[in-house]
């Protein structure tokens, strides 16, 4: 009869294990509902040993938040190949994969969870948003983005975030539809901005010129064209 020998983990290896265990638990339940005892039991160690590696639940939560933030930011990384609409659709697919895999954890990440209001949590969340914006701007091929373009991109990233949070509360709309709709939302935001600024108009026309008719942006144009006959004509305004 032989007995197994438990391998002793190094300090950093144990820390990473605890972060992974905590993140897994936070992905299925709100962090406020997960105790240190549960994290210790899932990791196969004692409660005092958890405190040996992390001074408290807050520090462990922030470490898990950091890993989640890095993973979420990575979901926006996309090769600059093919039409923009198709690239954005792939990004939204990976984004919603993350949202679905880490429901409560995603909500905690975006809302701050137990670390709400802390400078550390806020910096992580802002870092995710900034990374997402930088990725989108790089796909547009604009080295020095004008103010209106930055506004469009930042507004769209915020819209994707809020849409995902609302979707998690009941999932009443198929996620595939929301992924396409968010890509259409980006085109709509850019088009409205282009109507006010010639530089934006040039960027939008360049992007649309590279889009295939059967791509996401082409689908939006088809949907709007089908809607147009049903929209009542706006009567001309009387001049004073």
């Amino acid at each position: 009869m032989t007995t197994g020998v438990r391998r002793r983990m190094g300090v950093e290896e144990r820390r990473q294990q605890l972060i992974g265990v905590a993140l897994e638990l936070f992905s299925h339940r709100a962090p406020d509902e997960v105790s240190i005892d549960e994290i210790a039991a899932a990791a196969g160690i004692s409660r005092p040993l958890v405190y040996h590696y992390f001074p408290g639940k807050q520090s462990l939560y922030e470490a898990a938040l950091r890993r989640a933030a890095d993973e979420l930011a990575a979901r926006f990384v996309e090769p600059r190949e093919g039409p923009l609409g198709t690239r954005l659709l792939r990004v939204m697919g990976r984004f919603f994969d993350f949202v679905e895999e880490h429901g409560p954890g995603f909500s905690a990440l975006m809302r701050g969870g137990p670390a709400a209001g802390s400078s550390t949590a806020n910096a992580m969340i802002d870092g995710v948003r900034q990374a997402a914006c930088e990725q989108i701007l790089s796909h547009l091929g604009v080295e020095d983005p004008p103010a209106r373009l930055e506004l469009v991109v930042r507004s769209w990233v915020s819209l994707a975030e809020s849409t995902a949070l609302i979707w998690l509360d009941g999932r009443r709309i198929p996620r595939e539809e929301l992924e396409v709709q968010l890509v259409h939302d980006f085109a709509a935001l850019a088009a409205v901005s282009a109507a006010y600024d010639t530089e934006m108009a040039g960027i939008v026309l360049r992007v649309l010129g590279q889009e295939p008719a059967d791509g996401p942006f082409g689908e939006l144009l088809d949907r709007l064209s089908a809607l147009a006959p049903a929209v009542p004509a706006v009567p001309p305004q009387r001049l004073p």
Side-chain angles (χ1 to χ4, degrees):
M1 182 176 178
T2 59
T3 57
V5 178
R6 180 178 297 181
R7 184 175 63 85
R8 183 182 181 86
M9 290 187 182
V11 173
E12 185 57 28
E13 187 180 6
R14 178 66 78 182
R15 280 179 55 84
Q16 293 304 316
Q17 182 217 17
L18 286 171
I19 291 171
V21 167
L23 185 57
E24 177 65 21
L25 292 172
F26 295 156
S27 295
H28 296 92
R29 289 158 56 203
D32 284 330
E33 300 173 1
V34 179
S35 69
I36 287 291
D37 287 333
E38 290 178 89
I39 295 172
I45 61 176
S46 65
R47 176 190 176 97
L49 194 54
V50 175
Y51 286 113
H52 175 73
Y53 294 99
F54 293 94
K57 180 179 173 180
Q58 180 72 18
S59 62
L60 177 54
Y61 171 75
E62 289 184 355
L65 193 68
R66 174 73 273 166
R67 182 180 291 186
D70 290 343
E71 183 182 343
L72 180 55
R75 301 291 176 109
F76 284 86
V77 177
E78 171 71 23
R80 291 180 58 180
E81 301 172 356
L84 178 64
T86 303
R87 285 182 254 166
L88 291 180
L89 189 57
R90 286 196 294 264
V91 168
M92 285 296 95
R94 290 195 300 272
F95 173 68
F96 271 90
D97 282 344
F98 180 92
V99 172
E100 197 158 28
E101 292 163 8
H102 305 282
F106 174 78
S107 296
L109 171 63
M110 292 296 104
R111 293 173 174 145
S118 77
S119 58
T120 301
N122 290 339
M124 290 182 198
I125 296 165
D126 287 343
V128 172
R129 293 169 178 150
Q130 182 62 30
C133 289
E134 290 175 357
Q135 281 296 317
I136 302 306
L137 286 170
S138 72
H139 284 284
L140 291 167
V142 180
E143 295 184 0
D144 187 18
R148 288 184 185 273
L149 180 57
E150 286 194 2
L151 179 61
V152 165
V153 173
R154 291 185 181 280
S155 297
W156 183 70
V157 169
S158 296
L159 178 61
E161 173 189 323
S162 59
T163 297
L165 288 172
I166 294 170
W167 177 75
L168 281 172
D169 186 17
R171 310 188 183 200
R172 293 175 292 173
I173 301 174
R175 59 166 275 191
E176 293 79 8
E177 292 183 14
L178 287 181
E179 290 168 15
V180 175
Q181 182 177 316
L182 280 166
V183 176
H184 291 172
D185 287 335
F186 180 86
L189 287 169
V192 170
S193 184
Y196 288 85
D197 183 81
T198 55
E199 188 174 7
M200 275 297 299
I203 294 171
V204 170
L205 289 174
R206 174 175 58 80
V207 169
L208 292 179
Q210 301 168 353
E211 292 293 314
D214 59 349
F217 292 167
E219 179 187 348
L220 175 59
L221 293 176
D222 289 341
R223 287 179 177 272
L224 293 175
S225 298
L227 180 65
V231 178
V234 179
Q237 295 181 348
R238 294 182 179 178
L239 297 176

